[in-house]
Amino acid sequence: MKLMVEVEVLDTVCRHINDHMVTFYARAPGGWDIEYGTDGMLVDENYYTFEEITEESSWGHSHEGAEPLAAFEVPSESGAVS
Protein backbone atom coordinates (compact mmCIF):
# COMPACT_ATOMS: atom_id res chain seq x y z
CA MET A 1 0.00 0.00 0.00
CA LYS A 2 1.30 3.44 -0.91
CA LEU A 3 0.19 6.39 1.22
CA MET A 4 0.73 9.93 -0.04
CA VAL A 5 0.29 12.79 2.43
CA GLU A 6 1.05 16.46 1.93
CA VAL A 7 3.10 17.96 4.75
CA GLU A 8 4.41 21.47 5.27
CA VAL A 9 8.20 21.71 5.67
CA LEU A 10 8.71 24.29 8.40
CA ASP A 11 12.34 25.31 8.40
CA THR A 12 15.71 24.82 6.81
CA VAL A 13 17.69 21.58 6.92
CA CYS A 14 20.34 21.53 9.66
CA ARG A 15 23.13 19.43 11.16
CA HIS A 16 22.95 18.91 14.93
CA ILE A 17 26.06 19.61 16.97
CA ASN A 18 25.54 16.80 19.49
CA ASP A 19 24.71 13.82 17.26
CA HIS A 20 25.72 15.12 13.79
CA MET A 21 22.26 14.21 12.44
CA VAL A 22 20.92 16.09 9.41
CA THR A 23 17.26 16.98 10.05
CA PHE A 24 14.25 19.06 9.07
CA TYR A 25 10.85 19.71 10.66
CA ALA A 26 7.48 19.05 9.03
CA ARG A 27 3.98 19.80 10.31
CA ALA A 28 1.86 16.62 10.59
CA PRO A 29 -1.84 16.74 9.64
CA GLY A 30 -2.80 16.78 13.35
CA GLY A 31 -0.88 20.03 13.91
CA TRP A 32 2.27 18.59 15.55
CA ASP A 33 5.78 19.32 14.33
CA ILE A 34 7.84 16.20 13.60
CA GLU A 35 11.60 16.25 13.17
CA TYR A 36 12.94 13.82 10.55
CA GLY A 37 16.63 13.02 10.45
CA THR A 38 19.35 10.85 8.98
CA ASP A 39 23.09 10.23 9.22
CA GLY A 40 23.29 10.44 13.03
CA MET A 41 26.31 9.47 15.05
CA LEU A 42 26.48 5.87 16.32
CA VAL A 43 27.02 6.03 20.09
CA ASP A 44 28.80 3.31 22.07
CA GLU A 45 27.33 3.82 25.55
CA ASN A 46 30.32 2.06 27.14
CA TYR A 47 32.65 4.89 26.10
CA TYR A 48 30.40 7.90 25.53
CA THR A 49 30.71 10.81 27.95
CA PHE A 50 28.00 13.43 28.03
CA GLU A 51 28.58 17.13 27.53
CA GLU A 52 26.45 20.25 27.74
CA ILE A 53 25.47 21.57 24.31
CA THR A 54 24.53 25.24 24.20
CA GLU A 55 23.96 25.60 20.45
CA GLU A 56 21.19 23.96 18.42
CA SER A 57 23.05 23.20 15.24
CA SER A 58 26.27 23.56 13.28
CA TRP A 59 24.26 25.09 10.44
CA GLY A 60 20.63 25.49 9.44
CA HIS A 61 17.30 25.32 11.34
CA SER A 62 16.05 28.83 10.79
CA HIS A 63 12.82 29.07 12.81
CA GLU A 64 12.34 32.65 11.67
CA GLY A 65 8.66 33.30 10.95
CA ALA A 66 7.61 29.91 12.35
CA GLU A 67 3.95 29.59 13.31
CA PRO A 68 2.86 28.17 16.68
CA LEU A 69 1.87 24.51 16.81
CA ALA A 70 -1.66 24.12 15.48
CA ALA A 71 -2.13 21.38 18.10
CA PHE A 72 -1.96 24.05 20.82
CA GLU A 73 -4.37 26.51 19.23
CA VAL A 74 -7.83 26.82 20.77
CA PRO A 75 -10.63 25.56 18.48
CA SER A 76 -13.39 28.04 17.65
CA GLU A 77 -17.04 27.30 18.43
CA SER A 78 -17.41 25.76 14.98
CA GLY A 79 -14.64 23.31 15.83
CA ALA A 80 -12.16 24.88 13.41
CA VAL A 81 -8.73 25.84 14.71
CA SER A 82 -8.18 29.59 14.52
Side-chain angles (χ1 to χ4, degrees):
M1 175 167 67
K2 188 174 186 179
L3 179 64
M4 301 293 284
V5 178
E6 272 192 43
V7 294
E8 177 185 0
V9 175
L10 300 174
D11 66 1
T12 59
V13 173
C14 96
R15 180 172 294 274
H16 290 182
I17 288 176
N18 62 337
D19 59 9
H20 309 285
M21 188 168 283
V22 175
T23 69
F24 69 93
Y25 283 90
R27 175 123 332 142
W32 292 95
D33 291 353
I34 299 173
E35 185 176 26
Y36 291 94
T38 187
D39 200 29
M41 177 175 72
L42 182 61
V43 175
D44 182 342
E45 293 184 19
N46 294 317
Y47 300 101
Y48 181 77
T49 56
F50 70 91
E51 59 185 324
E52 181 179 359
I53 305 294
T54 58
E55 296 179 55
E56 179 179 7
S57 59
S58 298
W59 48 262
H61 269 346
S62 170
H63 299 290
E64 194 171 307
E67 297 179 19
L69 288 174
F72 291 120
E73 293 180 6
V74 178
S76 67
E77 289 183 23
S78 68
V81 174
S82 57

